[in-house]
Amino acid sequence: MKFFKMAKKALMVSFTAVLLAGMMAGCGDEKKETSTGSGQIQDIQKIKERGVLRVGVKNAAKGFGFQDPSSGEYTGMEIDLANKLAKQLGVKTEFTAVTAATRTGLLDSGDIDCVIATFTITPERKKSWDFTTPYYTDHVGVLVQKSSNIQTLADLKDKTVDQLYKVKPILK
């Protein structure tokens, strides 16, 4: 048990360092002035002057970013990372719930300083925003019955869920 506590602490320190480096890289700010990072330093100074790090997070992903409906309290690994980052900056944390549809607009408008939530890194997105080293990688898979004769993703072409998914009662 002690090993897991130490491993968790080491992991959190590493994540904090990676996220702080990401903040110094601009957290999506389009106003990068030079390669020396003067724009990024100004961004961090603004956060410090404001006294609040505004973080976009998911609010329905238990274990990552979850907002308790009754208390409004946020919990999860991404919340812990945001709080550690804010602590390193000497500021408080303010959370804004984001979705895939809202996060980029909130970053671009300056309503949030960074996103600590699922955000696939693509070459196109790298043109507009800075990314830290990923702290979690997830993969998507497809599960079908052997009798479906589906062997590849190409076999799914022109299929709909109702054609693929036939519920068989387990209990009678």
Side-chain angles (χ1 to χ4, degrees):
M1 186 63 129
K2 187 174 182 179
F3 170 78
F4 290 113
K5 285 183 181 181
M6 288 174 25
K8 182 179 176 183
K9 185 175 181 178
L11 188 59
M12 291 302 287
V13 169
S14 297
F15 286 154
T16 300
V18 167
L19 288 172
L20 188 54
M23 284 296 296
M24 295 192 82
C27 271
D29 185 11
E30 295 178 60
K31 302 172 192 157
K32 293 178 198 166
E33 295 174 11
T34 66
S35 61
T36 63
S38 62
Q40 294 83 9
I41 293 169
Q42 289 175 357
D43 290 342
I44 291 172
Q45 189 58 39
K46 286 179 189 175
I47 292 166
K48 288 182 173 187
E49 289 171 3
R50 184 186 327 123
V52 174
L53 175 64
R54 301 172 306 187
V55 183
V57 295
K58 297 289 178 99
N59 67 349
K62 287 186 178 182
F64 290 92
F66 181 75
Q67 185 178 25
D68 184 296
S70 58
S71 70
E73 181 183 352
Y74 281 89
T75 57
M77 180 183 73
E78 293 167 342
I79 306 309
D80 293 343
L81 291 173
N83 286 328
K84 289 268 190 186
L85 181 57
K87 184 176 179 179
Q88 288 288 322
L89 294 171
V91 298
K92 295 182 180 185
T93 314
E94 176 184 288
F95 296 108
T96 298
V98 298
T99 65
T102 63
R103 63 188 175 207
T104 57
L106 291 167
L107 271 174
D108 289 344
S109 69
D111 289 331
I112 58 177
D113 299 310
C114 62
V115 173
I116 303 179
T118 56
F119 209 133
T120 303
I121 301 170
T122 66
E124 189 64 30
R125 288 178 174 164
K126 283 184 172 183
K127 293 176 185 176
S128 299
W129 305 287
D130 293 317
F131 292 88
T132 65
T133 302
Y135 55 86
Y136 184 83
T137 302
D138 195 7
H139 302 281
V140 176
V142 177
L143 178 69
V144 296
Q145 292 181 338
K146 284 185 179 183
S147 62
S148 71
N149 294 321
I150 295 171
Q151 301 295 317
T152 68
L153 288 176
D155 295 339
L156 294 171
K157 185 174 174 142
D158 299 324
K159 300 273 194 292
T160 60
V161 171
D162 62 329
Q163 290 173 318
L164 299 172
Y165 189 66
K166 297 176 184 169
V167 178
K168 294 182 180 176
I170 295 172
L171 301 174
K172 292 185 180 185

